[in-house]
């Protein structure tokens, strides 16, 4: 389904953040990417839908080569990739429904977007999904009136509204309390199963990752150094993934974190 | 379970009666004002050629009096610099006074009141007041434009302060920093880009404030331009306008650069 | 490569400090240069309060004899300012978008946008008025359009800066949905700049109220003309009446603006 | 001011014991003013606008004759100028025709000169224009038409027509509709464009407009012309030291326009001509009186 | 040392967020407060240094009654209470050193503060502390150029610069990756021991809380329902702490998160 080959990403003139990375996501339902801060997890996810422009390499999603798409085709391709963000990235001053429907912005007419006359089918689907994740009663609330967990659900529903072929989530639970965070994780897992949708999650909480994932990928400074079932992730592997600093890997100035 | 298939954005005004009353009032108002505007398209198409004739005198722009233009520009620049610097110095404390999130209520009202007052006095009146006070000349011009700047900069700055990240203020409060220092450390850095933007905007706005500066006899490029118009020297007027546009484009670029470096 | 543990620390390196001193010195120099053209006659400054008192005592009490005319002209002015501001707001939106560094499609557009904004503000009101009187004939229309053209620069510039200061994250999220540029603006940027938008529009509205003297240039009435007339004939008590009216309008504008902001913030 | 026997229309600050309608020089020497720097302001209002540098040769002449520094300001507001003189911030001033009586009464200005030709001719005329093909032949024909005045406070553009036209058979506002155009040039352009049927305008303005080709003189026709009005009055503050005042006046009268920028600017003007407010402004006072203009409403109320 | 009696806090006219709360912190080194979102943990901490004005009750720190202090005395008292924030609350556009020195702003003259002429002793101490936590090399970097973990260290150093008698930390590790977050927690524990400084931490991650704390306090909607050694916190207690919603406790509208 998703096939990444020899992916390199370098910001400006710095050392590459992704170093010749290869990854193939076939049938798995939920895959977690772990790795310390600065390992390049976010960069990897953002390369997939080209929020970040890869320096070289190829990314193929269900037969579409993403890295060479023109503006218009890219837009079309992005609709097929749902994305959930750590800080939710909702538009605070819009209602929950508008935020949710903005997942359909790639499909509906400009006029409908301006007047907020969304197609009946979209509204129905939005209510279904919102009901599914338990936020249907907030449809008319402003996004910034919700709690963190609720806001992340809006983020998830927005991504699902795209009817994506793959869902990317960049630390979707990092700003949530453990209970809410567990709820969101199980939600993602359940949705992955129900909708038969591959989900890739960047995550810091290894316990959670192990609990919910079908596959775990460990990154260390631009490279994948672990890729296996959760059960295979033992203390030694963990140490390796979280050991070291970018400096050791990059041979440039030392950073402590 | 069936899901609703319709959804309407909750309207701005919840009560339907009030809402429709509001819509109807707005509609009546618009029809009553815009609808009754006498636009005569025939007159307009004729007018176009006539306008063309009048303004054809502007081409090519004439730089024959460039000496006058340069002295005028320098004079305006001096006044604009003084007014902007003074205006900003006064606006910053005033903006702090008038920001709802950091000023106590009474201070807030005094602050707001001051710049509302600064904006209500028509610049012509302010100019006359300063002419009476300090006589004709650049000083009166700079003072007038200072007042003019305050009403604008202080207001927009106060609104920016109301939108800051308050966490930084709390952090400073939690270390027991005195009031002034809290402002300098936690707020000033946050509002700096806006302050620079407003400052440079105000500089060019003061540079152009011909009407006001002309009244106080401070000449400058503004009155030279007005005179060029009065004498129908449209070619010279165009030349002056081009110089002003050029100067402001430069200031835009500078402002953009500084602001970009700051964020 | 850790910095050696010197116990003295300075905010700036010597080079930075030189730069800062340089900039500071430059500004000081500019201000001194500007001050050079000002010779203050101190006797006049000391005497200023007396002269100001002379003017203010002639201003009180406000003279309400022409109140009806003033109110009528005010109403007309409000209409003109409102229409002109409304149209200008609509027209300035796209210009603001292309002249904000984070939403402009490319550098050419950025400069085109800046050029439009700068021309709108640097072309004199008289010029706009003359042009539109020649086209539409004397009257309100020419006034409205002149005011409108002048407002575009102001609105576009400030709105552009507000756009530059938005939170980029939601915009990114919408891009990730595959929404077109226009819709990203519509859903990601417009809601964020709404409060600034209202504040700026109302600010311009009240500037337009006061600057309705432009209307005199085109042969239409307005509160500005009455004010001008009162000043020209030294009817200072009437002047103060007009000023009070304007003050009331500005306060009303502030109240409306802050109510809208509260609702939207 | 209590001991002032007579002040006519003057403000309470001033006294007119000798009945020449302008403020008397103060009798108390302590009240006399002998400034080191003379401030000279000029409003280009009903005259064509003038670039500041055109006055340079005259200022140089004035400085040479008086031995004092002279600061010149081209000012764009009559009221600012009047208020400045009232506050003692202005010593020599050129006031436009209409505002001169205000300056005299509110600020104690003493008019002493205007610009004129070698033969003593001075001033500008009020002219009434209509479209070339119009059926309007005389001022009386204006009845029922749309006529552009400039603005309520203008002398030639509004007050003079209001005062003079009734004698010619039409009463503005009663017999015809008055539309304020904003300025002389707008009136003229409006007539050319057919927006107005006719307009009274100042001769100087139309001359200059024709010169610049802003309209085609063949498209309009003049139907009436007034006697000349005085132009800008040059005045002194009433409290200047008499010796100084005399020096300044002499400097004005000894200035040769010929060959200077000022001479080029003001066509047909060759010198400053002595005048008095009492004589040359009588016609203006009459016009303003017939329009009910009061010079010192506050001053009168205070007495 | 810290003695809280009958503390009530009610925002506006709403139901109280803290309900007659009593807490005494004696000699413990590191105490963690856990509880679900909205339990009132932040409110409690912020009442202590009066960033939030308590509605009633008393808070006594080493003999000083905090709730009645006037502006000036409050400022003086606040210097004795260090605070570390979840979102760091650094001044982004200032350098690390300026941020760190802002912990001393209660002591130095306004002029020194504005011109950045900090006393030599303060600079020395700042370098010592920064060296201790490993950020000395960033002294001249702008705060927003640092990684999350580094920024939180700046926050900790800023608080320590006050030479506080107590350190409050409101979810200091919530935005950090697990490794960094562990580092910060051990840092806080070590500092608590070295400086003999009581530290109170609001924390969501119960595993971490148990690992690093000497005492754990569990809050549920305005009340303390658990207060014991970490070892005593078993699954049943946990369930109780994280069970329920504010609605159940407050009898108002149900919220899902
Ligand atoms: N826009 C950018 N410009 C320059 N460098 C960047 C940019 N975004 C990220 N980087 C750098 O790329 C490296 C990888 O960053 P990335 O955000 O992908 O890491 P991450 O694994 O997601 O870390 P975290 O867990 O903190 O989110 C870091 O060193 C970071 O500083
Ligand atoms: N400034 C405020 N105004 C009104 N209500 C507030 C305010 N701050 C907090 N609250 C309310 O008080 C309650 C407790 O909030 P508090 O932030 O103390 O909880 P918390 O335990 O820290 O939660 P979290 O884990 O999400 O940080 C919540 O219901 C919250 O909505
Ligand atoms: Mg990341
Ligand atoms: Mg909290």
């Amino acid at each position: 389904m998703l096939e990444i080959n020899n992916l390199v990403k370098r910001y400006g003139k710095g050392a590459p953040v992704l170093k010749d990375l290869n990854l193939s996501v076939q049938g798995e339902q939920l895959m977690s990417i772990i790795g310390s801060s600065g390992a390049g997890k976010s960069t990897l996810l953002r390369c997939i839908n080209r929020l970040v422009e890869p320096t070289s390499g190829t990314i193929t999603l269900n037969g579409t080569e993403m890295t060479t798409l023109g503006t218009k085709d890219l837009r079309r391709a992005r609709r097929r990739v749902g994305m959930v963000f750590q800080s939710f990235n909702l538009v605070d001053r819009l209602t929950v429904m508008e935020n949710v429907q903005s997942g359909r912005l790639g499909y509906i007419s400009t006029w409908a977007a301006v007047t907020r006359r969304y197609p009946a089918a979209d509204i129905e689907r939005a209510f279904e999904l919102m009901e599914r994740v338990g936020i249907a009663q907030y449809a008319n609330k402003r996004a910034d009136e919700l709690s963190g967990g609720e806001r992340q659900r809006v983020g998830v529903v927005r991504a699902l509204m795209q009817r994506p072929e793959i869902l990317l989530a960049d630390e979707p639970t990092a700003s949530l309390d453990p209970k809410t965070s567990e709820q969101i994780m199980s939600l993602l897992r359940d949705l992955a199963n129900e909708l038969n949708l591959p989900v890739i999650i960047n995550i810091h909480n290894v316990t959670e990752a192990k609990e919910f994932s079908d596959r775990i990928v460990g990154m260390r400074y631009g490279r994948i150094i672990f890729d296996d079932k959760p059960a295979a992730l033992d203390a030694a592997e963990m140490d390796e993934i979280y050991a070291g600093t970018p400096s050791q890997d990059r041979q440039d100035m030392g950073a402590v974190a | 379970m069936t899901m609703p298939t319709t959804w309407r954005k909750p309207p701005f005004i919840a009560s339907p009666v009030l809402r429709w009353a509001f819509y109807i009032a707005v509609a009546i108002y618009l029809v009553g004002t815009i609808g009754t505007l006498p636009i005569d398209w025939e007159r307009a198409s004729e007018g176009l050629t006539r306008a063309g004739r009048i303004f054809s005198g502007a081409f090519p722009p004439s730089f024959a009096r460039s000496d006058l233009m340069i002295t005028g520009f320098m004079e305006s620049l001096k006044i604009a610099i003084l007014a902007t610097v003074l205006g900003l110095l006064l606006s910053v404390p005033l903006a702090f006074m008038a920001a709802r999130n950091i000023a106590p209520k009474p201070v807030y009202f005094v602050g707001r009141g001051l710049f509302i007052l600064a904006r209500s006095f028509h610049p012509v009146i302010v100019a006359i007041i300063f002419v009476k006070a300090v006589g004709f000349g650049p000083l009166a011009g700079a003072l007038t434009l200072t007042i003019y700047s305050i009403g604008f900069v202080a207001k927009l700055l106060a609104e920016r302060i109301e939108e800051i990240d308050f966490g930084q203020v709390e952090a400073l409060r939690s270390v027991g920093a005195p009031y002034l220092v809290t402002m300098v450390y936690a707020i000033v850095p946050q509002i700096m880009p806006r302050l620079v933007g407003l400052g440079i905007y105000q500089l060019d706005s003061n540079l152009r404030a011909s009407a006001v500066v002309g009244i106080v006899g401070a000449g400058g490029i503004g009155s030279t331009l007005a005179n060029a118009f009065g004498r129908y020297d449209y070619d010279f007027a165009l030349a002056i306008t081009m110089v002003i546009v050029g100067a402001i484009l430069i200031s835009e670029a500078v402002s953009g650069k500084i602001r970009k470096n700051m964020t | 490569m850790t910095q050696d543990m010197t116990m003295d620390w300075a905010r700036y390196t010597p080079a930075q400090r030189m730069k800062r001193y340089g900039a500071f010195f430059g500004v000081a120099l500019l201000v001194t240069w500007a001050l050079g053209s000002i010779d203050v006659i101190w006797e006049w400054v000391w005497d200023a309060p007396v002269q100001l008192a002379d003017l203010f005592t002639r201003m009180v009490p406000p003279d309400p004899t022409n109140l009806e005319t003033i109110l009528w002209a005010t109403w007309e002015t409000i209409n003109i300012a409102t229409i002109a501001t409304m149209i200008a707001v609509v027209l300035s939106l796209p210009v603001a978008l292309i002249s904000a560094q984070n939403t402009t499609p490319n550098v050419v557009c950025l400069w085109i946008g800046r050029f439009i904004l700068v021309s709108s503000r640097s072309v004199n009101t008289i010029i706009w008025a003359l042009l539109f009187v020649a086209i539409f004939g004397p009257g309100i229309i020419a006034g409205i359009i002149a005011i409108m053209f002048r407002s575009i620069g102001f609105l576009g510039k400030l709105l552009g800066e507000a756009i530059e200061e938005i939170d980029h994250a939601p915009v990114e999220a919408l891009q990730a949905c595959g929404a077109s540029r226009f819709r990203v603006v519509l859903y990601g940027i417009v809601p964020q700049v709404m409060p600034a938008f209202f504040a700026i529009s109302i600010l311009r509205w009240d500037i337009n109220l006061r600057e309705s003297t432009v209307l005199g240039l085109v042969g239409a009435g307005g509160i500005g003309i009455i004010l001008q007339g009162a000043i020209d004939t030294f009817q200072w008590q009437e002047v103060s009446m007009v000023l009070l009216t304007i003050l009331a309008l500005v306060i009303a504008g502030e109240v409306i603006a802050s109510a809208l902001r509260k609702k939207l913030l | 001011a209590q001991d002032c026997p007579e002040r006519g229309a003057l403000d309470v600050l001033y006294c007119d014991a000798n009945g020449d309608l302008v403020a008397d020089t103060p009798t108390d020497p302590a009240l006399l003013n002998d400034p080191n720097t003379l401030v000279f302001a000029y409003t280009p209002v009903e005259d064509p606008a003038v670039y500041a540098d055109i006055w340079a040769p005259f200022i140089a002449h004035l400085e040479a004759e008086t031995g004092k520094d002279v600061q010149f300001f081209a000012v764009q507001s009559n009221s600012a100028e009047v208020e400045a003189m009232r506050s003692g911030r202005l010593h020599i001033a050129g006031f436009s025709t209409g505002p001169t009586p205000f300056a005299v009464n509110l600020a104690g200005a003493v008019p002493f000169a205007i610009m004129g030709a070698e033969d003593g001719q001075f001033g500008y005329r009020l002219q009434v224009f209509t479209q070339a093909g119009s059926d309007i032949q005389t001022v009386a024909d204006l009845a029922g038409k749309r006529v552009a005045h400039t603005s309520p406070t203008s002398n030639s553009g509004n007050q003079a027509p209001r005062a003079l036209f009734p004698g010619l058979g039409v009463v503005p506002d009663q017999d015809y509709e008055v539309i304020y155009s904003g300025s002389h040039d707008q009136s003229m352009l409006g007539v050319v464009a057919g927006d107005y049927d006719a307009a009274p305008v100042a001769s100087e303005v139309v001359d200059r407009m024709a010169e610049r080709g802003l309209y085609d003189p063949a498209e309009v026709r003049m139907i009436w012309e007034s006697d000349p009005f005085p132009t800008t009055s040059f005045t002194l503050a009433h409290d200047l030291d008499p010796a100084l005042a005399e020096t300044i006046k002499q400097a004005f009268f000894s200035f040769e326009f010929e060959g200077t920028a000022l001479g080029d600017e003001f066509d047909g003007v060759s010198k400053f001509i002595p005048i008095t407010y009492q004589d040359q402004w009588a016609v203006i006072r009459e016009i303003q009186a017939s329009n009910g203009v009061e010079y010192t409403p506050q001053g009168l109320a205070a007495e």
Side-chain angles (χ1 to χ4, degrees), chain A, chain B, chain C, chain D:
Chain A
M1 289 192 139
L2 178 71
E3 188 71 40
I4 299 177
N5 283 312
N6 303 95
L7 185 64
V8 174
K9 171 63 193 176
R10 157 187 283 131
Y11 288 104
K13 291 200 175 55
V17 168
L18 299 179
K19 296 162 186 158
D20 215 14
L21 188 142
N22 292 291
L23 179 70
S24 133
V25 182
Q26 301 293 344
E28 294 85 1
Q29 290 306 320
L30 201 147
M31 175 180 122
S32 291
I33 305 182
I34 59 174
S36 57
S37 202
K41 304 182 297 297
S42 302
T43 304
L44 173 58
L45 278 203
R46 297 157 71 83
C47 277
I48 295 175
N49 63 358
R50 279 184 54 201
L51 281 180
V52 152
E53 217 44 73
T55 308
S56 68
T58 63
I59 299 172
T60 322
L61 176 68
N62 294 340
T64 311
E65 169 54 44
M66 301 290 287
T67 52
T68 52
L69 295 175
T71 325
K72 203 157 170 192
D73 289 328
L74 174 61
R75 220 145 61 202
R76 198 157 298 145
R78 276 183 178 164
R79 295 180 202 160
R80 296 159 47 198
V81 183
M83 188 145 187
V84 175
F85 299 84
Q86 167 176 359
S87 44
F88 325 138
N89 293 8
L90 304 183
V91 184
D92 284 344
R93 272 189 264 281
L94 293 185
T95 58
V96 168
M97 179 58 95
E98 284 165 295
N99 269 292
V100 163
Q101 290 293 350
S102 63
R104 300 294 296 167
L105 280 183
Y107 298 92
I108 63 176
S109 75
T110 302
W111 180 243
V114 173
T115 56
R116 271 73 169 158
R117 290 184 191 282
Y118 306 111
D122 286 354
I123 293 176
E124 186 170 0
R125 182 168 159 80
F127 273 116
E128 266 167 31
L129 288 168
M130 289 194 295
E131 188 66 54
R132 168 72 189 76
V133 306
I135 53 169
Q137 70 272 41
Y138 297 140
N140 291 333
K141 278 211 170 193
R142 257 171 62 151
D144 54 3
E145 292 172 1
L146 268 49
S147 76
E150 289 155 0
R151 304 185 76 192
Q152 193 56 292
R153 283 159 220 245
V154 178
V156 172
V157 172
R158 174 175 64 187
L160 292 179
M161 282 299 287
Q162 295 175 237
R163 297 187 185 273
E165 296 166 21
I166 188 168
L167 191 63
L168 311 177
D170 193 358
E171 302 184 26
T173 60
S175 3
L176 304 177
D177 71 56
K179 194 178 139 209
T180 320
S181 139
E182 232 186 270
Q183 288 172 347
I184 295 285
M185 286 302 285
S186 16
L187 177 65
L188 287 173
R189 181 186 53 194
D190 298 350
L191 290 170
N193 289 324
E194 281 170 36
L195 306 175
N196 202 15
L197 179 74
V199 176
I200 304 183
I201 301 183
N202 278 355
I203 188 165
H204 274 314
N205 190 324
V206 182
T207 326
E208 269 179 7
K210 282 171 111 166
E211 182 178 346
F212 292 97
S213 323
D214 304 311
R215 170 181 172 191
I216 289 187
V217 166
M219 279 185 75
R220 181 167 147 180
Y221 303 113
R223 296 206 174 78
I224 292 180
I225 61 164
F226 175 89
D227 186 348
D228 210 333
K229 294 253 168 288
L233 183 70
D234 56 22
E237 304 275 9
M238 281 281 288
D239 275 352
E240 179 142 4
I241 292 171
Y242 286 108
T245 61
S247 58
Q248 285 170 282
D249 265 64
R250 288 191 201 152
Q251 271 107 13
D252 53 34
M253 207 200 87
V256 172
Chain B
M1 185 162 156
T2 57
M3 292 295 157
T5 55
T6 55
W7 175 83
R8 303 271 63 217
K9 188 177 169 69
F12 197 65
I13 303 170
S15 144
V17 177
L18 268 182
R19 182 166 76 244
W20 281 104
F22 178 75
Y23 288 162
I24 291 170
V26 169
I28 291 175
Y29 177 81
L30 288 183
V31 171
T33 49
I34 300 186
T36 56
L37 286 180
I39 300 195
D40 178 352
W41 291 109
E42 216 169 288
R43 169 71 179 78
S45 65
E46 258 175 59
L48 268 178
T49 54
R50 217 169 268 119
R53 168 182 188 154
I54 294 172
F55 284 92
S56 64
F59 297 96
S62 150
F63 289 89
R65 282 179 172 267
S66 48
D67 276 357
L68 193 62
M69 192 153 79
I70 293 168
T71 44
F73 186 81
M74 288 303 163
E75 193 173 347
S76 288
L77 190 60
K78 286 178 183 174
I79 295 175
I81 288 174
L82 289 178
T84 309
V85 169
L86 199 59
L88 289 185
L89 287 181
L90 292 173
S91 292
V92 171
L94 203 58
F96 277 90
M97 285 172 67
R100 202 192 301 268
N101 54 345
I102 51 168
K105 262 276 149 59
V107 176
Y108 166 78
F109 282 118
V110 171
R112 287 260 143 182
L114 279 177
F115 62 63
I116 287 180
L117 209 61
R119 283 197 291 138
S120 302
F121 268 80
H122 197 277
V124 172
I125 310 264
V126 179
I128 293 178
I129 289 175
F130 279 117
V131 164
K132 275 187 88 89
V134 298
F136 287 115
L139 179 60
L143 291 174
T144 309
L145 292 178
T146 301
I147 300 288
Y148 197 48
S149 308
I150 287 176
F152 171 76
V153 176
K155 176 178 161 71
L156 290 180
L157 206 56
E159 265 152 28
R160 177 69 184 86
I161 294 176
E162 288 176 356
E163 290 165 11
I164 56 160
D165 167 16
F166 206 70
Q168 301 178 17
V169 177
E170 287 198 326
L172 271 278
R173 284 200 182 150
S174 78
V175 304
Y179 186 78
L180 187 67
V181 174
T182 308
M183 302 294 114
V184 172
Y185 271 68
I187 298 183
V188 172
Q190 294 194 61
I191 61 172
M192 220 44 191
R194 177 69 63 91
L195 188 58
V196 169
L198 287 177
I200 296 204
Y201 179 88
Q202 203 51 48
L203 185 69
D204 82 53
S205 156
N206 285 341
L207 189 65
R208 290 176 285 112
S210 48
V212 176
V213 179
I215 291 167
V216 298
I221 191 108
S223 10
T224 308
L225 180 61
N227 281 343
F229 260 93
R231 300 160 51 91
Y232 317 111
D233 290 342
Y234 292 157
D235 48 357
F236 185 34
L238 180 61
I240 297 176
T241 305
M242 284 167 60
V243 168
I244 297 182
V245 169
I248 297 176
L249 277 177
I250 292 173
S251 80
E252 284 277 294
V254 171
S255 149
K257 204 159 187 115
I258 299 181
R259 282 166 51 85
K260 214 171 183 176
N261 280 348
M262 268 182 189
T263 43
Chain C
M1 223 197 61
T2 38
Q3 189 174 317
D4 51 323
M5 275 283 289
T6 37
M7 283 309 157
D8 48 45
W9 168 91
R11 171 68 176 79
Y12 301 105
T13 63
Q16 279 176 321
R17 199 161 342 159
M18 285 321 289
K19 235 189 202 161
R20 284 177 70 88
Y21 283 150
F24 187 75
F25 189 69
V27 172
L29 213 64
L30 266 181
V31 172
T32 330
W33 170 69
L35 278 173
S37 65
I38 285 187
D39 41 342
V40 181
I41 302 181
W42 290 106
E43 303 157 41
W44 289 0
V45 174
W46 305 141
D47 178 38
V50 181
Q51 300 306 334
L52 293 186
D54 172 53
L55 189 59
F56 283 113
T57 49
R58 286 189 290 152
M59 277 193 175
V60 286
D63 171 12
T65 40
N66 280 336
L67 192 57
E68 205 177 316
T69 330
I70 292 175
L71 289 180
W72 182 244
T74 307
W75 171 242
E76 270 185 353
T77 312
I78 291 176
N79 292 340
I80 291 165
T82 310
I83 297 171
T85 312
M86 265 173 10
I87 303 175
V89 159
V90 172
L91 293 181
S92 65
L93 276 174
V95 189
L97 282 170
I98 63 168
S99 49
Q101 298 184 53
N102 55 344
T103 52
T104 186
N106 52 52
V107 183
V108 179
C109 287
L110 178 69
W111 281 100
I112 292 177
R114 282 181 175 171
F115 183 76
I116 296 176
L117 296 183
V118 169
S119 326
S120 148
R121 358 204 265 270
S122 2
V123 172
N124 252 34
T125 318
I126 315 172
I127 307 182
W128 289 126
L130 269 178
L131 180 62
F132 294 114
V133 171
I135 297 176
F136 292 102
I140 281 189
I141 299 261
I144 290 180
I145 299 183
I147 292 177
M148 184 189 95
F149 263 72
R150 193 139 168 89
S151 308
I152 288 178
F154 177 94
L155 292 166
K157 160 93 184 166
L158 291 177
L159 220 49
E161 283 188 358
I163 294 174
E164 285 178 359
E165 289 169 13
I166 59 161
D167 175 11
H168 197 65
V171 173
E172 208 169 46
L174 293 179
Q175 281 167 347
C177 293
S180 68
R181 184 184 286 279
F182 176 75
R183 288 170 213 181
V184 170
V185 169
L186 192 66
Y187 275 65
I189 296 179
V190 170
Q192 290 197 58
V193 297
M194 259 329 190
F197 174 84
F198 278 103
I200 295 166
S201 305
I202 293 199
L203 180 60
R204 186 65 219 185
W205 175 79
D206 82 50
I207 294 178
N208 282 344
L209 279 181
R210 277 171 293 132
E211 298 210 329
S212 63
T213 8
V214 188
L215 297 174
L217 299 170
V218 302
I223 184 88
I225 308 308
I226 294 193
L227 181 64
Q228 191 75 56
I231 296 174
D232 284 348
T233 51
F234 303 89
Q235 308 280 343
W236 290 110
Q237 294 177 328
E238 185 168 338
V239 168
S240 60
M241 192 68 230
V242 174
L243 287 184
L244 282 180
T245 314
I246 293 178
L247 180 66
L249 282 177
V250 173
I251 291 177
E254 284 277 323
V255 170
I256 296 173
S258 78
L260 279 175
R261 268 172 67 81
K262 225 188 234 160
K263 190 134 191 175
L264 291 164
L265 208 64
Chain D
Q2 268 72 8
D3 51 300
C4 179
E6 174 58 50
R7 62 167 56 97
L10 294 183
D11 191 78
V12 285
L13 298 173
Y14 312 108
C15 188
D16 181 22
N18 59 8
D20 61 357
L21 303 183
V22 297
D24 296 338
T25 311
T27 43
D28 178 358
L31 293 175
L32 288 178
N33 192 7
D34 188 6
N36 293 323
T37 303
L38 289 171
V39 181
F40 175 17
Y42 172 84
T43 43
V45 174
E46 284 176 30
D47 307 345
V50 172
Y51 296 120
D53 60 351
I54 287 175
W55 283 92
F58 177 72
I59 302 304
H61 171 76
L62 195 56
E63 285 186 327
E65 293 292 307
T66 57
K68 292 177 185 282
D69 283 341
V70 177
Q71 285 186 344
F72 173 78
F73 297 103
V75 180
Q76 277 156 11
S77 160
N78 290 308
S79 331
E81 205 182 2
V82 171
E83 291 294 338
M85 185 171 269
R86 180 181 165 99
S87 295
R89 270 73 170 131
L90 179 59
H91 310 116
I92 312 168
F95 288 109
S96 301
T97 314
T100 295
F102 285 100
V104 167
N105 292 302
L106 285 173
V110 182
F112 68 95
I114 61 175
M115 290 181 186
E118 202 56 51
D119 57 4
Q121 279 290 324
F122 63 83
Y124 68 94
R125 294 164 191 276
L126 177 61
Q127 301 174 332
V128 179
F129 282 92
T130 179
Q131 290 93 13
S134 149
D135 53 2
I136 300 173
Q137 302 297 336
T138 65
V139 173
D141 293 342
L142 293 179
K145 305 287 184 188
R146 285 172 309 149
V147 180
H149 288 198
T150 57
S151 62
T153 52
S154 161
N155 176 63
S156 53
N158 182 50
Q159 304 211 327
R162 280 180 190 275
L164 301 176
F165 285 5
L168 299 167
V170 282
V171 181
D173 269 338
Q174 275 177 32
D175 295 333
Y176 67 75
E177 181 191 355
V178 171
I179 303 168
Y180 290 111
S181 71
S183 63
H184 290 279
D185 35 6
Q186 289 301 336
S187 290
M188 195 62 194
L189 292 173
V191 169
V192 173
D195 296 324
Y196 312 120
D197 295 319
V201 286
S203 56
E204 286 174 324
V205 177
V206 279
D207 290 349
R208 195 183 285 268
M209 287 175 74
E211 215 172 280
R212 302 280 164 163
L214 294 182
Y215 69 94
D216 181 355
E219 289 184 34
V220 293
R221 180 161 45 82
M222 185 169 80
I223 58 165
W224 182 79
E225 188 174 34
S226 74
D227 290 334
F229 291 110
T231 54
T232 298
S233 67
F234 291 87
T235 66
L236 294 178
H238 77 291
D239 62 350
L240 281 190
D241 182 90
L244 175 63
E246 198 47 42
T247 324
I248 296 172
K249 285 181 188 172
Q250 286 322 311
F252 268 79
F253 297 135
S254 64
F255 181 70
E256 286 295 339
F257 279 67
E258 188 73 42
T260 67
L262 211 53
D264 297 342
E265 180 68 26
F266 292 94
D267 248 358
V269 164
S270 58
K271 59 181 182 183
F272 286 104
I273 302 173
I275 51 105
T276 64
Y277 177 68
Q278 196 161 21
D279 298 338
Q280 275 77 8
W281 253 261
V283 51
I284 305 295
R285 284 197 304 275
E286 214 172 282
I287 287 173
Q288 294 186 339
S290 82
N291 288 319
V293 173
E294 286 174 34
Y295 301 119
T296 59
Q298 287 82 13
L300 290 175
E303 271 181 49

